[in-house]
Every structure is written in C-alpha cells, then in structure tokens.
Amino acid sequence: MYWGGVMAGQIGHGMMEEDVWRKGPWTAEEDRLLIEYVRLHGEGRWNSVARLTGLKRNGKSCRLRWVNYLRPDLKRGQITPQEENIILELHARWGNRWSTIARSLPGRTDNEIKNYWRTHFKKKAKRPSDAAEKAKNRIMRKQLFHHQQQLLNQQQQQQLQFNLDISKFEENNNRFPYISQTRQEMLNNICPNTTEEQGNFMLNGNYSVPDSSTDENLWDGMWNLDDVQGNFSNKTGLYNLVAPYC
DNA sequence: AATCATCGCAACCGCGAGCCC
DNA sequence: AGGGCTCGCGGTTGCGATGAT
C-alpha cells in the first residue's frame, strides 16, 4: 500500500496540487463510496467522484475500479471453454482489440480477457511444456488456421483484382524485355524478405500449407495477423496478409 | 520447512480520440 | 482553429497466491 501521484489541479474542498491521490488496492469502504456515487449519479463524470464523495482517488482509478470490478453485471469465475473459443476466434479477427472482444462476452471485461490471453495462450504457444500441451496447441493452430483460410478465400477475390491490375501494368509496359520481374519486384517492395515460394502464394495463388515442423513459426506469425481483413488492394492489407511468411 | 519460480489478477501509466468552450 | 478536459483503450507493472524443488 502506498500513496503517490501529484494532483493536476484543485479538485475542491481545499485540496490543492500538493495533495496526492491514493493508489494501490481498494478498500471495502472506498468500494462502498464508489458504488454509492454511481447509484446516485450514474456512470461517467469520474473526475467528480473525489469532489462528491471524498474519495482520494482520481477519475481514472474510479472508472477502472467500477468497470473491472464493481459493475453489477460482471460475470465471476473462470473463463468457460465456449468463451475461450470466442476469444480465440475474435483475437484471430481483431488482434489485441480487447474492448472489442469483450463486447462479445457479456460480463467479461477487456482487462480480464487481456489477462487471460496473456497467461493462457501467448505463453503456451511460445513454449509448450509437454505433449498434451503441444497437441492442444496444434488443435488451436488448426482452428485458427482454418479460420484464416476462410479469410484468405474471401481475399482471393480481391487478389484477382490485384493480379488484373498488375497484368494491365505489364501490358502497358510489355515493350520492356525485363518486365517478367515486375511482379516479384512489386512484392519485394511490400515484403522484402519474401522467398520465391512465398512469393508464388502472393503472386500466383499457389499456396502450400507449411509442414508441422514449422508449426511454431506459423503459430507465432499468426499473432501478427491482426488486420487480416484489411483491404488487400492497399499496401497495409497486403503486408498483414503476408507478414507471417516474411 | 524454507526458498525460489511461476501464475493470475488488480491496478497503474501513457496515449489518443472526442467533445466542449 | 485550438486548447483543455474527460474518457476509453492497450500495454505494463506490482504483488499475493500457489506450486515446485
């Protein structure tokens, strides 16, 4: 337990800049005051809490305490397997957008999901400790990979347009003898370390699933697929799509 | 029993977006 | 237009609980 944090300005009742906000774990009495404040005034205007209740907590701290712990609609207990699946699915789609993910899990907070992810998934994926863990990770990988494949299929339509655009570019420049390198050059501009095989996926759609010996790399790479639904025709979207293979 | 390592979670921090004056 | 304020978000830290040695 400690006290710290210089206040930014006057908050009323003689509290001046040299006063400090209370930090650290909340007491039952502080919780009671905050709950009473929300009951009377509703959520929001968190910077008024200190002035109206006498709590020596800043607005940020009050909001966080309410949102993550005191809200009556919070669900307690462990994350269920169903919720875990949803988290996996949505993280594959949204990346670390915890608040977005939390909106699909009533009663769960972004903080809770973020903590759960960090302790249960990211670590396990990086260094599985035994065969069972590896098997579980393999299943997770396949689920996620299947999901990514679906997204890739959607994007293949956009890739067709991408190829058409390049073809038009080539047609317009076919009087140059070295034009056959253009596609690779364009890809190299986007993803400099792309191998020939990886480039084939992007340029020709000839994609082969990496073998299991590269699973860990693939799995790790998938954490970068945050924006896989981005526009394929722009550079950012393309980069996100090919990032795990770069 | 003692010590050390790891886990799980609450809370803090910095930053950016949106709003209002 | 822009400066200040409030709020929300994602990353990180601190620390008690638990497990391993």
Side-chain angles (χ1 to χ4, degrees), chain A residues 63-219:
Chain A
R63 177 192 158 271
L64 210 62
R65 181 65 176 173
W66 175 259
V67 167
N68 287 335
Y69 197 80
L70 297 176
R71 254 169 49 201
D73 59 331
L74 286 181
K75 189 188 289 183
R76 301 291 178 187
Q78 290 199 325
I79 301 282
T80 67
Q82 289 74 23
E83 289 173 320
E84 184 178 297
N85 285 337
I86 292 172
I87 292 171
L88 272 173
E89 191 76 14
L90 294 182
H91 188 272
R93 179 176 301 177
W94 297 110
N96 295 353
R97 297 176 193 175
W98 305 116
S99 59
T100 304
I101 295 172
R103 280 191 276 272
S104 298
L105 293 165
R108 301 295 187 186
T109 69
D110 54 351
N111 208 35
E112 192 176 10
I113 294 168
K114 178 171 57 183
N115 284 333
Y116 186 79
W117 177 268
R118 291 180 67 83
T119 55
H120 287 80
F121 293 128
K122 202 156 190 175
K123 194 181 315 164
K124 285 179 180 179
K126 280 196 176 299
R127 47 177 183 82
S129 57
D130 54 28
E133 207 65 74
K134 284 186 176 181
K136 185 180 177 183
N137 285 336
R138 201 172 301 118
I139 292 169
M140 289 162 59
R141 276 193 287 272
K142 284 180 179 176
Q143 285 178 346
L144 190 54
F145 188 73
H146 177 69
H147 178 73
Q148 301 293 357
Q149 283 292 89
Q150 289 179 321
L151 295 176
L152 288 175
N153 286 339
Q154 293 173 10
Q155 290 179 331
Q156 279 177 353
Q157 296 302 319
Q158 291 172 294
Q159 184 180 352
L160 287 174
Q161 186 61 47
F162 176 80
N163 286 337
L164 274 175
D165 290 343
I166 294 179
S167 296
K168 286 180 182 174
F169 177 83
E170 289 175 347
E171 285 171 15
N172 290 335
N173 295 278
N174 63 4
R175 57 183 177 277
F176 299 107
Y178 47 83
I179 204 62
S180 62
Q181 297 174 359
T182 303
R183 286 169 180 244
Q184 188 64 48
E185 286 171 357
M186 290 180 70
L187 182 62
N188 286 344
N189 283 333
I190 300 166
C191 188
N193 298 323
T194 306
T195 66
E196 184 177 354
E197 181 186 1
Q198 290 160 351
N200 283 339
F201 165 56
M202 294 308 306
L203 298 174
N204 304 321
N206 297 328
Y207 173 65
S208 60
V209 179
D211 66 37
S212 59
S213 65
T214 62
D215 271 2
E216 301 304 323
N217 293 335
L218 175 61
W219 187 235

